[in-house]
């Protein structure tokens, strides 16, 4: 039995064998002496799982493509090819590179990809000895005596990556530009590598000229040469006695061989240098560190570092400056600055200028601040600017708060801003927002940022902004800091401020202890303090009442749309349940955003934010009526149908809409020929007439009506007649006229007793067409749970009550039974009566106990509705009318 590694190696050989067979089929003309070693080395570092995921044909195609590019290459040439995705090429773009092996090749290729917003899916990078003839034709691979060549195959993911700060995104399919960028980067690598010996010698000469190891500047340059600075370019600018600046072109090295690269934008035209630049060229300081305007195309995609070394003439004046372009090694950013020559002396001078006792608390704290100060700032900024920022950082340790320190580059090339932001609210969104505020504030673009997160309550974020050189923006830094502080305020701060303003400090503190951490991150990101306080109050009400609570508002600038906030205890309100309720009120849900709230020591609840579009213009004065209707729908006190649209359209309450619904249900039982949707549409089309119906009803039956009922009714009746005359649709006219006939036949109602059932008593003879015989009186009882009726053939009558299963025409069944009861009762009482009811939401018949219980409950509801309207005969013979019933 073989062990694991041997089995794995054998399996790899099998996979590569299949690829070799596929290569022989796909490219039979390829010499095996070239293809075999490339096949073996190209996939040597590919993990087993990735190798197994590739088909033999794909592996063969990768070898054939790379070998095709490598077959001919002139000495010193870097060959680059980017193949876009497409039919026959696969779903991913591929970059292929063949060049002489040298440092930084892989890094620099990745830099070009990164700057074009491309993500690497797979990187294959074998380095093989290659033998070529005098014409550059590849003769042998992986053979003794060959020169090492770097061969790269980079598969590019389909999804783009975020662009580096300050870079504009490349066009989605600009593969030609990507190929050119990779080739440009490799050219720069070759220039930097080829010229490295010369640049290293120039650096040593500059160190010697600065005093060597005997001076901080000389030691620093020596330290740079000890693998602490990646040398990428050198330029010598000479200054004559008249102050004219010229380029010593013969000493341009590395990336700066290209004389058109200015290093700094201010040096683009040496014949017309700005006065600050001329002053800097004559600066007595022997050494300075700065950031170039150009980004490095080699090793790391960041702005290159520039070390400027003053060149003194025989008379001691500045005769020129040497610019060493490159990148500080990672160690320069990770090491304690007091271990770096020249920088250590700079830190010591800053500490001395602060005037603190080095062993006292402030002295030690300031030293620690400088040890961790942004390294680029420590290299580049004047000592007084660093001390100002460090003092601010020291104060922030005592009183943590949002703060900003700004330094403008003396040449106007950039603005360096260090922002301290609350760590508990710091995230990518806040970092980007502050960066945008700084860019807008200084009239430029965000060029770079860095993040320092520790255990302190503040996150430190240095930003670099590149302003527009054509316009200098005057910035009130204190005001900008205040704006950033407002942007950085966490939700808890905003909520505490709003609650304190509304309820006082003591009440706010009690609420915050319960609700401080109750709101989820998505809510905290967007809500204002006032919104949080309002939603908190809504949630408190929902928890206290144990049922949904809602508010309705029209946000500023929202046009006609409404915002409904609904807090539901226990869990979310299913959209399938909520949407029919909104639609019944003619409110169309456009958007819903839920948030789960988890208060301390209380049950969780869900806060729903609905954006609603009403079917008609609605004033804020109608919001309470709509909320009452929604609450009744959620509680099951109201039914979800088109009659509820009248709350919005006719300006009535949900109970008045219930009255019109109950009247229709009675009309349907006596054979009214119009469907419920037709009736709902007719009432909605004539909302004023719907309103007049309920006003006429109130004028007759509201026990609290004050004034002359007859006069008020006459005024309403006159308006009713005029409005009816204006109706053009005959069906709508018939529907509304029938409602008026029924209203005129009503004798009494329990509407104003505010029960969960609605009952009205009718003079059947006056109530219009219906199946004969017409009862002497009848009572109709309606609720979301049941419907029922009681028919009486005369003032004194007798009969029972039936549980009916004829939902659509139970009155016809009861009427037939009343006729039979009249015959049966002729010898007992003058006439007969009969009542009956239906269940609207019966439990499953299989649950017999629940079914029976619901039947008994609905029977009791019918009897209660009848008793709501019934007079009582007192012992003294007087008649007592029911409470709040107008007879």
């Amino acid at each position: 039995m073989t062990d694991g590694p041997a089995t794995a190696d054998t399996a790899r050989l099998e996979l590569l064998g299949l690829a070799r067979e596929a290569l022989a089929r796909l490219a039979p003309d390829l010499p095996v002496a070239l293809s075999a070693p490339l096949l073996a080395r190209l996939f040597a570092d590919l993990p087993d799982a990735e190798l197994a995921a590739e088909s033999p044909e794909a592996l063969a195609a990768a070898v054939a493509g790379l070998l095709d590019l490598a077959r001919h290459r002139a000495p010193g040439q870097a060959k680059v090819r980017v193949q876009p995705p497409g039919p026959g090429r696969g779903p991913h773009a591929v970059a292929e590179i063949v060049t002489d092996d040298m440092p930084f090749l892989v890094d620099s290729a990745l830099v070009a990809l990164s700057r074009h917003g491309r993500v690497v899916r797979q990187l294959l990078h074998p380095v093989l000895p290659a033998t070529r003839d005098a014409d550059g034709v590849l003769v042998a691979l992986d053979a003794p005596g060959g020169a090492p060549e770097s061969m790269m195959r980079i598969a590019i993911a389909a999804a783009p990556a975020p662009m580096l700060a300050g870079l504009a995104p490349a066009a989605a399919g600009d593969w030609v530009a990507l190929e050119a960028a990779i080739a440009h980067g490799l050219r720069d690598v070759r220039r930097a590598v080829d010229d490295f010996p010369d640049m290293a010698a120039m650096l040593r000469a500059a160190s010697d000229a600065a005093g060597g190891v005997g001076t901080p500047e000389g030691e620093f340059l020596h330290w740079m040469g000890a693998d602490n600075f990646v040398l990428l370019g050198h330029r010598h600018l000479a200054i004559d006695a008249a102050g004219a600046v010229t380029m010593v072109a013969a000493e341009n090295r590395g990336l700066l061989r290209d004389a058109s690269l200015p290093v700094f934008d201010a040096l683009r035209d040496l014949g017309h240098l700005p006065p600050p630049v001329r002053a800097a060229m004559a600066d007595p300081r022997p050494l300075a560190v700065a950031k170039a305007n150009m980004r490095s195309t080699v090793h790391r995609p960041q702005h290159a570092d520039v070390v400027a070394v003053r060149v003194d003439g025989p008379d001691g004046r500045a005769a020129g400056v040497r610019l060493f372009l490159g990148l500080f090694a990672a160690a320069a950013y990770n090491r304690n600055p007091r271990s770096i020559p020249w920088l250590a002396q700079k830190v010591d001078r800053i500490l001395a200028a602060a005037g603190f006792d080095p062993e006292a608390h402030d002295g030690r704290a300031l030293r620690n601040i400088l040890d961790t100060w942004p390294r680029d700032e420590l290299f580049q900024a004047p000592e007084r600017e660093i001390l100002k920022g460090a003092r601010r950082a020291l104060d922030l340790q005592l009183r943590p708060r949002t703060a900003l320190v700004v330094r403008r580059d003396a040449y106007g090339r950039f603005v360096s801003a260090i922002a301290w932001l609350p760590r508990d609210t710091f995230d990518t969104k806040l970092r980007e927002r502050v960066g945008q505020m700084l860019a807008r504030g200084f009239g430029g673009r965000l060029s770079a940022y860095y993040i320092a997160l520790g255990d302190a309550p503040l996150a430190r974020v240095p930003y670099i902004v590149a302003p527009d050189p054509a316009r200098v923006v005057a910035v009130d830094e204190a005001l900008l800091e205040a704006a950033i502080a407002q942007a950085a305020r966490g939700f808890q701060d905003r909520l505490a401020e709003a609650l304190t303003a509304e309820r006082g400090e003591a009440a706010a503190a009690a609420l915050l202890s319960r609700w401080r951490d109750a709101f989820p991150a998505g809510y905290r990101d967007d809500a204002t303090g006032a919104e949080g306080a309002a939603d908190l109050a809504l949630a408190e009400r929902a928890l206290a009442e144990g049922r949904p609570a809602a508010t309705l508002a029209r946000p500023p600038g929202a046009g006609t749309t409404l915002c409904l906030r609904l807090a539901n205890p226990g869990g979310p309100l299913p959209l399938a349940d909520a949407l029919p309720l909104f639609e019944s009120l003619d409110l169309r849900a456009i958007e819903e955003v839920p948030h789960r709230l988890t208060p301390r020591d209380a049950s969780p609840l869900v806060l729903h934010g609905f954006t609603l579009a009403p079917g008609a213009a609605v004033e804020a004065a109608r919001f309470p009526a709509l909320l009452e209707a929604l609450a009744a729908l959620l509680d099951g006190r109201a039914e979800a149908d088109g009659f509820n649209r009248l709350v919005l359209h006719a300006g009535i309450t949900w109970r008045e809409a219930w009255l019109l619904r109950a009247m229709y249900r009675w009309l349907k039982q006596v054979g009214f020929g119009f469907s419920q949707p037709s009736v709902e549409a007719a009432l909605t089309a004539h909302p004023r007439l719907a309103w007049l119906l309920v006003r006429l009803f109130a004028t007759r039956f509201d026990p609290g009506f004050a004034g002359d009922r007859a006069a008020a009714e006459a005024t309403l009746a006159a308006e009713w007649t005029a409005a009816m005359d204006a109706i053009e649709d005959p069906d709508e006219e018939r529907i509304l006229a029938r409602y008026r006939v029924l209203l005129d036949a009503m004798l009494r109602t329990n509407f104003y007793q505010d029960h969960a059932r609605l009952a009205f008593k009718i003079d059947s003879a006056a109530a219009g067409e219906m199946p004969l015989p017409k009862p002497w009186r009848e009572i109709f009882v309606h609720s979301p749970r049941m419907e029922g009726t009681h028919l009486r053939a005369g003032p004194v009558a007798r009969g029972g009550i039936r549980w009916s299963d004829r939902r659509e025409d139970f009155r016809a069944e009861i009427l037939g039974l009343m006729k039979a009861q009249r015959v049966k009762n002729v010898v007992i009482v003058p006439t007969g009566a009969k009542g009956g009811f239906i269940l609207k939401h019966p439990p499953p018949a299989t649950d017999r106990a629940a079914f029976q219980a619901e039947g008994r409950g609905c029977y009791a509801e019918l009897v209660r509705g009848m008793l709501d309207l019934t007079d009582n005969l007192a012992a003294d013979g007087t008649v007592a009318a029911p409470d709040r019933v107008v007879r």
Side-chain angles (χ1 to χ4, degrees), residues 556-609:
T560 60
T561 60
L562 306 176
C563 177
L564 176 74
R565 312 291 284 181
L566 188 147
N568 194 55
L573 179 66
L575 278 177
D577 295 342
L579 294 182
L581 307 187
F582 299 150
E583 290 167 3
S584 78
L585 291 166
D586 207 9
L587 299 172
R588 184 167 60 92
I590 299 173
E591 183 182 20
E592 186 254 357
V593 180
H595 297 288
R596 184 175 179 83
L597 310 186
T598 53
R600 186 173 58 84
D601 300 332
S603 300
L605 68 162
V606 174
L607 175 70
H608 296 270

Side-chain angles (χ1 to χ4, degrees), residues 236-453:
H236 181 187
L237 301 177
I239 307 173
D240 64 17
V245 179
T246 56
M247 182 189 302
V248 184
E251 296 188 39
N252 285 348
R253 295 291 187 274
L255 274 62
L256 298 183
R257 285 189 203 174
D258 184 353
S260 66
L261 283 179
V263 184
F264 303 122
D265 286 344
L267 299 178
R268 193 172 295 280
D269 184 356
L270 295 178
H272 300 84
L273 294 177
V277 178
R278 290 187 177 277
M281 300 286 281
D283 194 323
R285 291 180 300 171
L287 186 146
V289 179
K291 282 286 185 186
N293 288 108
M294 57 180 283
R295 285 181 180 269
S296 172
T297 54
V298 177
H299 190 37
R300 297 198 302 267
Q302 64 187 51
H303 286 277
D305 297 295
V306 180
V307 178
V309 182
R310 174 185 162 113
V311 178
D312 289 334
D315 56 356
R317 68 171 183 82
V321 62
R322 293 186 180 276
L323 303 178
F324 291 96
L325 179 81
L327 296 167
F328 281 107
Y333 291 89
N334 299 330
R335 292 173 59 181
N336 189 304
R338 285 175 287 142
S339 68
I340 300 175
W342 179 73
L343 207 55
Q345 289 78 11
K346 186 175 185 180
V347 170
D348 288 341
R349 290 193 297 271
I350 295 171
L351 288 169
F356 295 140
D357 180 352
E359 301 305 320
H361 173 272
D362 286 351
R364 292 195 304 271
L366 186 63
R367 184 167 61 245
N368 181 65
I369 288 170
L370 292 174
D371 287 346
T372 57
W373 200 247
R375 193 54 46 89
D376 285 332
E377 282 295 293
L378 210 52
F379 274 127
Q380 301 166 32
E383 292 169 13
R384 65 180 183 281
E385 297 281 356
I386 296 173
L387 179 57
K388 182 182 77 171
R391 284 184 180 276
R392 189 70 182 279
L394 184 63
D395 179 53
L396 294 175
Q397 289 184 352
L398 300 176
R399 296 186 302 120
R401 63 198 184 279
T402 301
L404 180 70
V405 169
V406 173
R407 176 177 69 86
R408 291 177 180 266
D409 176 58
Y411 311 133
R413 296 176 301 130
F414 63 85
V415 175
S416 171
I418 301 177
W420 286 268
L421 305 170
R423 194 179 189 281
D424 59 347
T425 60
F426 181 76
D427 56 12
T428 299
K429 185 176 181 180
L430 177 59
R431 187 259 302 161
E432 291 177 345
R433 186 177 186 186
V434 172
Q436 292 164 0
M437 293 174 72
L438 290 168
R440 289 193 299 268
F442 289 100
R445 58 176 176 81
L446 181 63
S447 181
Y449 64 85
Y450 313 94
I451 300 173
L453 287 175

Side-chain angles (χ1 to χ4, degrees), residues 8-22:
D9 290 341
T10 302
R12 287 184 71 90
L13 290 174
E14 290 295 330
L15 289 170
L16 293 176
L18 294 173
R20 190 160 44 250
E21 294 173 5

Side-chain angles (χ1 to χ4, degrees), residues 90-325:
H92 303 286
V94 173
E96 297 169 311
I97 300 168
V98 179
T99 187
D100 299 316
D101 188 43
M102 62 188 78
F104 309 130
L105 285 176
V106 173
D107 289 347
S108 302
L110 297 181
V111 165
L113 289 165
S114 176
R115 296 189 67 179
H116 277 252
R118 302 297 173 185
V119 177
V120 174
R121 180 176 177 269
Q122 185 186 77
L123 171 64
L124 305 175
H125 179 223
V127 178
L128 292 86
T131 304
R132 297 182 182 273
D133 63 17
D135 295 324
V137 176
L138 185 63
V139 176
L141 268 180
D142 209 10
E149 292 192 13
S150 176
M151 297 185 178
M152 273 185 268
R153 186 179 189 278
I154 306 172
I156 302 169
M163 294 295 293
L164 294 168
L167 292 179
D174 198 352
W175 304 111
V176 174
L178 177 61
E179 183 176 288
I182 295 173
H184 179 82
L186 298 181
R187 183 204 66 189
D188 286 349
V189 170
R190 182 173 294 277
R191 287 181 173 181
V193 170
D194 288 350
D195 289 353
F196 177 78
D198 286 352
M199 293 188 291
M202 292 171 176
L203 185 63
R204 287 192 296 272
S207 174
D208 293 341
V213 295
T215 63
E217 292 78 15
E219 289 183 1
F220 179 70
L221 295 172
H222 179 76
W223 172 86
M224 285 171 55
D227 293 332
N228 289 303
F229 191 80
V230 179
L231 278 167
L232 298 178
H234 171 270
R235 178 161 293 164
H236 181 187
L237 301 177
I239 307 173
D240 64 17
V245 179
T246 56
M247 182 189 302
V248 184
E251 296 188 39
N252 285 348
R253 295 291 187 274
L255 274 62
L256 298 183
R257 285 189 203 174
D258 184 353
S260 66
L261 283 179
V263 184
F264 303 122
D265 286 344
L267 299 178
R268 193 172 295 280
D269 184 356
L270 295 178
H272 300 84
L273 294 177
V277 178
R278 290 187 177 277
M281 300 286 281
D283 194 323
R285 291 180 300 171
L287 186 146
V289 179
K291 282 286 185 186
N293 288 108
M294 57 180 283
R295 285 181 180 269
S296 172
T297 54
V298 177
H299 190 37
R300 297 198 302 267
Q302 64 187 51
H303 286 277
D305 297 295
V306 180
V307 178
V309 182
R310 174 185 162 113
V311 178
D312 289 334
D315 56 356
R317 68 171 183 82
V321 62
R322 293 186 180 276
L323 303 178
F324 291 96
L325 179 81

